[in-house]
Amino acid sequence: MHIPRGAESSAEVTEKASCLVCGARQGRLLYQLPRFEIRRCAACDQVFLFPLPSEAEICEMFTQLYRDGRGSVAELRDYYASCFDASPASPVADMCRSWLQALSRYGSGGRLLDIWCGTGIFCHTARDFG
């Protein structure tokens, strides 16, 4: 996600969050989410999440999102709901078809490794694509 410099709110600069890239302790609040803040480092412009969830919390959040769309960010609920829809009208399946069309220039058939995997829509679409 690209957030142009200067697009951030005039929210206070805080020293409680350290940048994950340069370690600077000053960042400007861009967005306040129910549990997290999205901040921009005042020194290097890196955008980062604060506080960082633990590995276990991340696993649980993604399990909830992928399983039933529950989560603290409403925008993600809509996105993850579409990740289960492999119908021809699905925007995610349509994006997968465009990638497969681009790949088909290099040959057809054979094996495909899906790194993105998630809900399996890419593999499902690839199977239907041929």
Side-chain angles (χ1 to χ4, degrees), residues 10-45:
S10 60
E12 102 241 20
V13 172
T14 183
E15 294 187 17
K16 64 181 179 179
S18 294
C19 175
L20 300 171
V21 173
C22 74
R25 301 215 23 106
Q26 287 195 330
R28 192 167 292 282
L29 179 65
L30 297 177
Y31 302 105
Q32 181 66 55
L33 302 172
R35 180 161 173 259
F36 300 104
E37 298 174 348
I38 308 295
R39 303 188 89 41
R40 180 191 299 277
C41 177
C44 74
D45 278 346

Side-chain angles (χ1 to χ4, degrees), residues 20-123:
L20 300 171
V21 173
C22 74
R25 301 215 23 106
Q26 287 195 330
R28 192 167 292 282
L29 179 65
L30 297 177
Y31 302 105
Q32 181 66 55
L33 302 172
R35 180 161 173 259
F36 300 104
E37 298 174 348
I38 308 295
R39 303 188 89 41
R40 180 191 299 277
C41 177
C44 74
D45 278 346
Q46 175 67 32
V47 175
F48 61 97
L49 182 70
F50 179 80
L52 285 178
S54 70
E55 186 176 335
E57 288 174 295
I58 292 170
C59 289
E60 180 58 26
M61 282 187 248
F62 276 93
T63 298
Q64 288 176 354
L65 281 168
Y66 276 113
R67 186 178 54 230
D68 57 18
R70 284 187 299 129
S72 61
V73 182
E75 295 85 357
L76 288 179
R77 229 171 307 170
D78 294 341
Y79 169 77
Y80 281 100
S82 69
C83 287
F84 291 100
D85 180 9
S87 72
S90 163
V92 175
D94 189 49
M95 178 177 56
C96 293
R97 280 189 297 278
S98 70
W99 294 341
L100 291 161
Q101 186 66 41
L103 285 172
S104 70
R105 288 183 257 154
Y106 301 101
S108 62
R111 301 174 88 181
L112 179 68
L113 174 63
D114 180 8
I115 303 293
W116 180 32
C117 54
T119 61
I121 285 187
F122 185 70
C123 285

